[in-house]
Amino acid sequence: MNNVIVITGASSGFGRLTAEALARAGHTVYASMRNTTGRNATVVEQMKAFSQEHVLDLRTVEMDVQSQESVDQAIEQVIAEAGRIDVLIHNAGHMAFGPAEAFTAEQYAQLYDINVLSTQRVNRAVLPHLRGQRKGLVVWVSSSSVAGGTPPYLAPYFGAKAAMDAIAVQYARELSRWGIETSIIVPGAFTSGTNHFDHSGEPADAARAAEYDAGPYAGFGGQVQQAFAEIVPADADASLVAEAIVEAVGAPAGRRPFRVHVDPAADGADVGFTVTDRLRAEMLHRVGLSDLLVPRATN
């Protein structure tokens, strides 16, 4: 079945790989990104060429997830062109690397805005359409750091992804009676195929960061990155995440997986989430709300 899909943060990494993979699978894909006529103009042209070469329906749309106006305009464009949206994929995000203390509160707020508040802006634009259809799928790209091993120096990013995952779970319960499904994709640490570390933010308080580097944490940033490189298998590629999303989207309606782990490094998140998701489900059973665990069937 052909789905009309909107994916955020699709200019590179997981987003771009997923957009291209979904288009190859026969879907109409709107790859959203900022600066389509500026910094990402080359990406737009590359996606256009990719679509023409392989005879696919991969389109780009201007969307700044930090602007409600931009988000609303993008979704209006998709609806005007395609007539509907079937799948929304929350992928946009940004990483920051360094001692937690050296980041300013404003930096924490900005990372939270990109990784968490952006999903609320897009949801408010898209969900009225999905609810009107009484069907659809919302995919959230989470992180194994939420329930697995969490190396230091990534506190702002890990905190934001944990918040996003918690919100995704609650949305799943609040959308199920509308017939809308939720799939949470949980990637582990991938050191190839993404620009997470290359484009990661740095602490604004350089003097505070220098105190860490001059003290007992001298060279610790390099140590953490080396540790990542050593635990991730050499053949682990970010395309595995794209493949998992394609599989979730392509699964029969009503039977899409709630949570999918894509973690070649096996940091234990699958175990952690198994426990927390079960506890949450058992609570709903106890209070008589177990119907929220599955999307309501619609005609």
Side-chain angles (χ1 to χ4, degrees), residues 15-290:
R16 182 167 181 177
L17 290 169
T18 300
E20 293 177 352
L22 286 166
R24 283 185 181 274
H27 303 291
T28 296
V29 182
Y30 281 85
S32 76
M33 63 194 75
R34 295 182 298 170
N35 300 318
T36 54
T37 59
R39 184 184 65 191
N40 286 321
T42 300
V43 176
V44 171
E45 289 303 314
Q46 290 171 344
M47 286 191 170
K48 182 178 180 181
F50 177 86
S51 180
Q52 292 174 342
E53 178 184 357
H54 299 285
V55 194
L56 306 174
D57 198 357
L58 174 60
R59 315 178 190 186
T60 55
V61 60
E62 172 75 27
M63 182 193 291
D64 179 355
V65 295
Q66 293 188 270
S67 164
Q68 188 67 61
E69 181 181 4
S70 176
V71 169
D72 291 342
Q73 289 176 352
I75 299 308
E76 288 173 7
Q77 178 183 334
V78 174
I79 294 296
E81 293 180 3
R84 70 181 197 278
I85 295 173
D86 302 303
V87 180
L88 167 62
I89 302 175
H90 290 300
N91 170 77
H94 188 59
M95 179 183 287
F97 186 78
E101 183 187 346
F103 289 95
T104 63
E106 290 74 18
Q107 284 187 290
Y108 270 81
Q110 182 184 33
L111 277 168
Y112 194 91
D113 190 287
I114 296 172
N115 290 282
V116 185
L117 300 186
S118 69
T119 66
Q120 181 68 357
R121 296 186 185 99
V122 181
N123 274 350
R124 285 179 56 79
V126 174
L127 291 182
H129 299 285
L130 298 188
R131 289 190 293 103
Q133 297 168 175
R134 294 281 178 144
K135 63 180 180 179
L137 170 66
V138 182
V139 178
W140 305 71
V141 180
S142 183
S143 169
S144 66
S145 64
V146 176
T150 53
Y153 274 32
L154 287 159
Y157 175 70
F158 286 167
K161 296 304 281 189
M164 191 214 74
D165 193 286
I167 291 170
V169 172
Q170 295 306 310
Y171 257 116
R173 311 312 182 211
E174 296 178 16
L175 295 175
S176 63
R177 288 183 179 176
W178 293 98
I180 299 170
E181 297 176 85
T182 294
S183 285
I184 304 173
I185 310 300
V186 187
F190 283 86
T191 54
S192 65
T194 73
N195 298 317
H196 282 170
F197 280 101
D198 292 341
H199 294 169
S200 62
E202 299 178 350
D205 192 339
R208 196 72 60 93
E211 292 176 9
Y212 275 76
D213 205 39
Y217 285 85
F220 188 67
Q223 184 180 350
V224 169
Q225 294 195 41
Q226 180 62 32
F228 265 113
E230 290 179 354
I231 66 170
V232 178
D235 60 350
D237 190 88
S239 62
L240 294 172
V241 175
E243 292 171 7
I245 294 175
V246 170
E247 186 173 345
V249 171
R255 298 193 311 203
R256 270 108 171 207
F258 177 68
R259 195 181 291 278
V260 179
H261 295 271
V262 190
D263 183 16
D267 71 3
D270 54 340
V271 177
F273 274 123
T274 296
V275 174
T276 56
D277 286 341
R278 179 176 177 181
L279 290 174
R280 291 164 175 165
E282 287 182 351
M283 174 58 74
L284 291 177
H285 282 289
R286 286 175 59 193
V287 297
L289 295 174
S290 59

